[in-house]
Amino acid sequence: MKLLLIDPPFKSFAGIFSLYFPLGLTYLAGAAKKAGFDCKILDMDAAEPKEGSLNYSREYEHYSNYVTAINDAGHPTWQLMRRLVVEQKPDFIGITALTTKFGSVIQTARFCREILPDVPIIVGGAHASTMPELTASIPEVDFVLRGESDETLPDLLHTLAKKGDLSKVGSLTWKSAGKIVHNPDAPFTQNLDSLPLPDRQALLNPEHYSSEDMGIMLTSRGCPFRCSYCFHMWERRVRFRSLDSVIEEIQQVHREFGTTQFSLKDDSFTVRRSHVLSLCEAFKKLPFKITFNCTTRVDLLDDELLAAMKDAGLAQISVGIESGSASILKQTDKDITHAQILKAAAMLNRHHIFWTGYFMIGLPTETEEDINKTITFLRCSRPYYAGLGVYNPFPGTKLFDQGVKMGLLDPQPPLEHFLTTNPKDLFFKDPKKRLLNIDHQKFLELSESASQKFHHHNSNLFNLIRRGFARRRAYMYDPALLRRDFGRGLEFLGLGNLLK
């Protein structure tokens, strides 16, 4: 029997360039294949050649395009999806759901039901895990899987194929006699090595991915920290893959796709120092050279560790800075200080490692002074690249619950809300009332000014050259990446028209 897993269109609708592929779906494809099912993955943001901008200073405007597109049933992307889904002739359809693109999830389920009315539709992913009741209320959705589904998805498929007892499937939310039923949670898989490697061969339209796209992977799952803006699905526990398992996947991806640039998407890659040092030694012993990037925390770095990672091929590292305001930083429960951030920044700059600092503005109690402090701290920390986001409240987080108590957020908006609302405004009772201390027009002015200052920092020619130099190994092995990045660099400099 055949399973089709779908990642609904989002960035292609918004006009934003899409990197990588849906890693979680390739894990599920591997699990389904091991269980005896044929499985393919339809990543709608890669169903056509990838295009779009990497300039996030106009993110809100881009997302407005997304809202228009998801409500256009005749949009070419929806027409393409209908055709591709029918061509696959699936016996089951699975859809992954993230909060920001939940409107697209709703429409994907609707259009799939229209063209294949008898095929069961299953939804999983982060949003389905935080709001299973709302997800199950979509008329076209038959089943919702909460949490990790590496083991529960094959169990559900076998149960459906054999017309078995659905009440026995762990972490399943389903409909029985007109009511929504939530089965008890299934335990997480403790031994990650027992899971099949992600099945990248299940991806449709492989020609639309670069060798670098194929290099996304995990060496662990989970994060032990308590950030107030994060949904802690893994209950603040970390499980690690063995060294042999990680190396096996790297060798497989290199053999099949020629990949030499890997993106390690662990929540906090350096949380276990010995794990990282062992990986670095193993990376150096590979019969081919690799580069890698990762994400971690400023309080999980030291000179010896950075030297070892750089020697093993570290090309880029990302850390969360969040805010230049001490009071706002404290509200994030990140449990770091500005002194720790500046110490890590100095270390990274001393080692000449290309690093990204992530900042955000728009927390409910933020003031104009707080936002200005964040802009000032950008200049103090001097990251090679700085990402700035406007705070987005997500269900299941401490800050979300606080926003509800402050009267800013609606914890249970109707389904249609997700079809008509900019993803940056989801859950706000009034999108013009995001903060307690700054009115809407003033916040728009502040966020626009901050975005332009961050964009100016990132589009600085010196920073662009440093970014290219950090990726030189990847360019040597895949010249197409150099051509793509050169075009993005021209876009950042406002010279994109030269490519036309």
Side-chain angles (χ1 to χ4, degrees):
M1 303 184 79
K2 188 169 186 177
L3 168 67
L4 177 64
L5 297 173
I6 303 175
D7 192 359
F10 179 64
K11 290 185 176 180
S12 57
F13 278 156
I16 298 173
F17 189 80
S18 176
L19 293 167
Y20 307 117
F21 62 87
L23 180 60
L25 293 188
T26 57
Y27 266 105
L28 297 184
K33 183 177 180 180
K34 181 180 178 181
F37 295 89
D38 182 17
C39 183
K40 291 295 181 183
I41 300 169
L42 177 56
D43 173 7
M44 283 305 301
D45 280 339
E48 299 174 281
K50 294 184 179 183
E51 296 180 350
S53 173
L54 284 175
N55 179 1
Y56 289 92
S57 64
R58 292 285 182 266
E59 189 177 37
Y60 192 90
E61 295 172 21
H62 286 311
Y63 284 167
S64 296
N65 297 333
Y66 156 80
V67 174
T68 300
I70 62 171
N71 289 286
D72 179 4
H75 193 285
T77 297
W78 288 131
Q79 293 180 357
L80 176 62
M81 190 195 76
R82 292 184 183 97
R83 177 173 64 80
L84 294 175
V85 169
V86 170
E87 287 177 358
Q88 288 301 309
K89 301 178 181 178
D91 298 290
F92 310 100
I93 291 174
I95 304 171
T96 186
L98 294 177
T99 299
T100 49
K101 58 179 177 181
F102 192 58
S104 190
V105 173
I106 295 169
Q107 296 294 65
T108 297
R110 287 177 178 175
F111 296 144
C112 285
R113 179 52 46 88
E114 287 176 7
I115 56 178
L116 296 173
D118 299 322
V119 175
I121 295 176
I122 308 160
V123 176
H127 187 81
S129 300
T130 56
M131 305 193 78
E133 189 94 12
L134 178 71
T135 307
S137 71
I138 301 173
E140 294 79 12
V141 171
D142 301 297
F143 306 100
V144 176
L145 282 173
R146 312 182 306 274
E148 290 182 345
S149 301
D150 305 82
E151 295 178 343
T152 55
L153 176 61
D155 188 16
L156 174 60
L157 296 178
H158 280 303
T159 301
L160 292 173
K162 298 176 181 179
K163 294 181 170 52
D165 185 357
L166 290 168
S167 67
K168 303 296 184 183
V169 179
S171 298
L172 178 67
T173 293
W174 54 298
K175 300 163 185 174
S176 177
K179 295 183 179 179
I180 294 176
V181 178
H182 303 284
N183 292 355
D185 291 339
F188 294 134
T189 303
Q190 294 306 307
N191 179 13
L192 296 183
D193 287 4
S194 68
L195 301 175
L197 295 180
D199 186 3
R200 292 166 173 82
Q201 296 291 351
L203 290 162
L204 297 171
N205 309 299
E207 68 278 6
H208 295 161
Y209 299 99
S210 69
S211 63
E212 183 179 21
D213 285 338
M214 291 299 185
I216 183 176
M217 57 185 292
L218 293 170
T219 76
S220 67
R221 292 187 186 183
C223 178
F225 301 100
R226 64 185 190 105
C227 301
S228 58
Y229 51 82
C230 253
F231 168 52
H232 305 289
M233 186 176 80
W234 287 305
E235 300 171 349
R236 296 176 61 186
R237 299 175 183 175
V238 186
R239 292 157 292 153
F240 295 88
R241 295 171 62 186
S242 70
L243 189 65
D244 288 343
S245 174
V246 173
I247 296 302
E248 180 186 358
E249 183 175 354
I250 287 176
Q251 290 177 323
Q252 181 192 80
V253 176
H254 176 73
R255 182 174 61 252
E256 295 179 358
F257 306 104
T259 300
T260 60
Q261 169 65 25
F262 290 84
S263 185
L264 309 181
K265 292 298 184 181
D266 304 44
D267 288 329
S268 298
F269 178 64
T270 60
V271 69
R272 182 182 287 179
R273 198 170 182 275
S274 60
H275 174 72
V276 175
L277 292 174
S278 296
L279 283 174
C280 287
E281 285 303 309
F283 291 170
K284 291 192 294 184
K285 292 177 182 176
L286 287 165
F288 49 90
K289 287 186 178 296
I290 69 166
T291 58
F292 67 95
N293 59 62
C294 64
T295 299
T296 189
R297 291 168 51 99
V298 296
D299 55 347
L300 297 177
L301 296 173
D302 59 66
D303 281 304
E304 181 186 2
L305 187 61
L306 285 175
M309 293 168 69
K310 184 177 180 180
D311 188 43
L314 177 65
Q316 187 266 340
I317 190 168
S318 300
V319 295
I321 293 175
E322 316 311 350
S323 177
S325 162
S327 62
I328 295 299
L329 182 61
K330 185 176 181 180
Q331 289 180 34
T332 67
D333 288 343
K334 203 170 178 73
D335 297 325
I336 59 172
T337 66
H338 287 134
Q340 288 174 310
I341 295 170
L342 293 175
K343 179 182 177 181
M347 272 194 294
L348 290 162
N349 289 330
R350 186 167 60 248
H351 285 273
H352 303 292
I353 293 171
F354 188 96
W355 67 284
T356 295
Y358 288 123
F359 299 74
M360 66 176 167
I361 59 174
L363 271 71
T365 62
E366 201 164 29
T367 65
E368 181 177 351
E369 181 183 6
D370 292 324
I371 293 175
N372 289 330
K373 285 180 178 178
T374 294
I375 296 171
T376 300
F377 200 72
L378 166 66
R379 304 188 190 104
C380 297
S381 53
R382 297 187 300 115
Y384 284 35
Y385 181 89
L388 176 67
V390 174
Y391 165 66
N392 240 14
F394 290 111
T397 67
K398 180 179 176 180
L399 276 178
F400 184 91
D401 293 339
Q402 290 177 349
V404 172
K405 291 178 181 178
M406 293 174 184
L408 298 174
L409 303 179
D410 178 1
Q412 293 293 333
L415 284 177
E416 295 304 312
H417 170 82
F418 294 90
L419 296 172
T420 58
T421 305
N422 189 299
K424 282 290 183 181
D425 295 333
L426 296 176
F427 299 105
F428 283 100
K429 289 182 176 179
D430 180 0
K432 294 184 178 181
K433 183 64 177 176
R434 302 180 68 98
L435 297 91
L436 297 176
N437 303 309
I438 306 176
D439 66 42
H440 178 65
Q441 187 58 41
K442 186 62 178 179
F443 180 68
L444 288 180
E445 294 171 4
L446 289 168
S447 58
E448 172 67 16
S449 174
S451 293
Q452 290 306 314
K453 289 173 181 176
F454 272 70
H455 181 64
H456 177 74
H457 174 87
N458 294 332
S459 59
N460 176 284
L461 182 59
F462 181 59
N463 277 342
L464 290 174
I465 292 172
R466 292 198 296 182
R467 189 175 193 182
F469 185 75
R471 289 169 56 76
R472 62 194 182 279
R473 284 193 196 173
Y475 295 153
M476 285 190 293
Y477 287 99
D478 188 350
L481 295 177
L482 176 58
R483 292 192 294 271
R484 186 192 74 185
D485 285 4
F486 181 72
R488 303 304 169 197
L490 289 177
E491 179 191 343
F492 262 83
L493 293 170
L495 302 174
N497 288 333
L498 293 179
L499 298 175
K500 296 180 181 179

